[in-house]
Amino acid sequence: MDDLERRLAALLSKPFPDDPPPGLADRIQRAVATRRRNRRALALAVAAGATAVLVGAPLAVRGGNGDAATTANLSPTPASTAPSTQPSSTAPSEPPATVSRWPEPAVTTTVTATPDQADVRLPAGVRLEQALRQIMNVTSVVDVEGRTAQGEPFVPAALGSDGTVLGTTPDGQVAEVDAGGGTPKDLGLRARSGLGTAADFRTWTESNGPAADQRCRTADGTTRTISPQGTDPRGPVWVDGGVVVGNDVMRQPWMAKGCAQVGTVVRSGEPASGVAVAFSYPDLFTAERANDKVLRIVDVETGRVTAEHPLPDGVRAQTMGDPDQKWYAAASGKWFAWVAGDTLRWTPRDTWGAVSVLSGVPTPKKGVSPWMTAGNRLITYNTGATSFVLDPVTGHRYKSPDVVLAAGDWLLWKSGDGYRLASLR
């Protein structure tokens, strides 16, 4: 192409009948040079744009009217290293300058999940551990065996804020292992749901035909029923601050302070305050979707409603004849997070303002009800198959096979034939 252009310029520079206007050859050569520069600039711009698409995902901050307010690219991350120690722009680490208060719409931040940047040749459990070390201080990591002392397969079901792990065998035997890791030891009881642990007691749901009760055992072996009028055998049970919280079969929340006595139904006037969806001592989160259509926060020590918010984004009001929507939530002292459909959202509790959104959560395993847990820093979502860990500060999400649990400063995840238990700061 360049040779053809030179020959054309030379031909046009020679006189011949009906000569073109003077200087035409120079103008053609200048135009050719300009086109070359433009082609090179365009090629560089395309290459740079492609690189930005590969290493950075757009972060769109939307106002309450749904219009895009700003758009930015996340900082590039090297493909062969763990995520950067610098906070990502995918989620706010500080409360926003202005707080959206009910009934004003909250700000929504759309976050694109960051792919696992660790060496893909390493086991999944090791990749997760490497990623965690990039964003926080991992003070200890121990192994938890995947089989009990009797050789039965062990599946963790609950993690206490002191690092104690409770789980079950295929026939429903309950075993535990403390924060030091090792081989789970049989507790001498059976349960299929409702496991929870605190420093001075263990609790579980005990089914008796169609009915179920929440049972509680102290360190000296004293065992009693703590649910005031039964408990939902298919629903979650939360333990935090020495308090046990659940729902009964009438979908009323109940709470009990350890094993000392039978608990009480939690009410905030009539009708009852709603269904318990999350608990972070002393705050019980209840959703009332049929009448008042609000999310309430109840102080379990006083029984008072301390705050009310609209139903979380993606959670529908319950109307007569419509099937019940399945959604899941977890809370810590800093965050409230929930999954509705295939979308995870979270918001800082101190402002209840900006809502971060992460789409494409894993699909639950058939026959498994997903559940969420929350620690001081991390939030998990379990599906019975692929689950994940969310760091709400940076917006990073890390996949893990099978179960992954968070409580206090602890995180438990699947690694090989067993599990890893880490203390995080």
Side-chain angles (χ1 to χ4, degrees):
M1 185 67 179
D2 290 344
D3 180 66
L4 178 60
E5 290 166 346
R6 286 194 298 269
R7 291 171 57 192
L8 177 60
L11 179 62
L12 292 175
S13 64
K14 296 178 181 180
F16 58 91
D18 298 323
D19 268 346
L24 177 60
D26 292 336
R27 291 200 299 273
I28 291 176
Q29 288 174 329
R30 286 195 299 271
V32 168
T34 300
R35 285 198 302 273
R36 288 173 182 162
R37 288 194 299 270
N38 290 342
R39 285 198 300 268
R40 286 196 294 269
L42 179 60
L44 290 173
V46 171
T51 303
V53 169
L54 290 173
V55 302
L59 172 65
V61 181
R62 298 186 178 276
N65 59 5
D67 295 331
T70 60
T71 301
N73 282 333
L74 302 182
S75 299
T77 303
S80 60
T81 63
S84 168
T85 57
Q86 297 298 322
S88 167
S89 61
T90 57
S93 57
E94 298 292 337
T98 58
V99 180
S100 296
R101 298 188 182 278
W102 182 55
E104 296 177 3
V107 175
T108 298
T109 304
T110 301
V111 181
T112 300
T114 302
D116 189 347
Q117 301 293 332
D119 190 337
V120 296
R121 293 172 297 179
L122 298 176
V126 176
R127 293 204 303 274
L128 174 57
E129 186 175 327
Q130 284 186 341
L132 292 174
R133 291 183 184 277
Q134 298 299 315
I135 60 175
M136 62 187 66
N137 183 19
V138 180
T139 58
S140 68
V141 180
V142 298
D143 290 313
V144 173
E145 298 296 326
R147 291 184 176 273
T148 66
Q150 290 73 36
E152 294 293 321
F154 174 75
V155 178
L159 176 62
S161 58
D162 63 351
T164 300
V165 182
L166 294 185
T168 60
T169 65
D171 64 353
Q173 293 288 341
V174 179
E176 76 170 18
V177 59
D178 62 25
T183 303
K185 300 176 177 59
D186 186 29
L187 282 184
L189 59 94
R190 290 177 180 270
R192 293 292 184 183
S193 62
L195 289 176
T197 175
D200 55 352
F201 66 82
R202 305 290 181 263
T203 185
W204 67 97
T205 299
E206 186 175 280
S207 297
N208 182 15
D213 291 308
Q214 193 67 24
R215 303 280 281 167
C216 192
R217 177 190 292 177
T218 59
D220 63 5
T222 301
T223 304
R224 62 170 47 91
T225 296
I226 58 173
S227 51
Q229 51 190 32
T231 192
D232 182 359
R234 298 167 296 178
V237 169
W238 298 270
V239 178
D240 194 20
V243 176
V244 185
V245 170
N247 289 299
D248 61 27
V249 293
M250 298 295 291
R251 306 197 73 184
Q252 297 178 112
W254 59 265
M255 58 83 64
K257 294 185 177 181
C259 302
Q261 58 188 9
V262 177
T264 58
V265 174
V266 179
R267 299 179 184 273
S268 58
E270 296 292 342
S273 59
V275 179
V277 295
F279 178 53
S280 176
Y281 179 85
D283 296 322
L284 169 62
F285 295 78
T286 67
E288 204 296 289
R289 299 192 295 132
N291 298 310
D292 300 329
K293 302 176 180 60
V294 295
L295 180 74
R296 291 188 172 101
I297 303 178
V298 182
D299 186 324
V300 296
E301 292 292 346
T302 65
R304 293 179 54 251
V305 175
T306 59
E308 283 189 353
H309 301 283
L311 291 176
D313 292 352
V315 178
R316 301 191 305 270
Q318 182 68 42
T319 57
M320 185 71 70
D322 285 348
D324 189 23
Q325 180 188 17
K326 302 297 182 182
W327 65 285
Y328 314 93
S332 68
K334 295 182 177 179
W335 305 94
F336 181 78
W338 67 100
V339 171
D342 65 348
T343 303
L344 168 69
R345 297 175 174 90
W346 67 96
T347 187
R349 288 187 52 191
D350 57 351
T351 64
W352 211 266
V355 176
S356 298
V357 180
L358 187 62
S359 59
V361 301
T363 301
K365 187 177 180 180
K366 186 176 181 180
V368 174
S369 294
W371 76 101
M372 300 180 71
T373 65
N376 293 337
R377 170 71 180 266
L378 301 173
I379 295 169
T380 78
Y381 177 64
N382 290 272
T383 67
T386 300
S387 301
F388 67 75
V389 182
L390 169 73
D391 175 20
V393 174
T394 64
H396 286 108
R397 179 184 71 172
Y398 308 101
K399 290 184 179 180
S400 178
D402 205 64
V403 68
V404 54
L405 305 172
D409 292 328
W410 299 89
L411 184 74
L412 178 88
W413 69 92
K414 179 75 172 178
S415 180
D417 295 331
Y419 303 88
R420 301 276 278 173
L421 177 64
S423 176
L424 314 167
R425 294 289 189 274

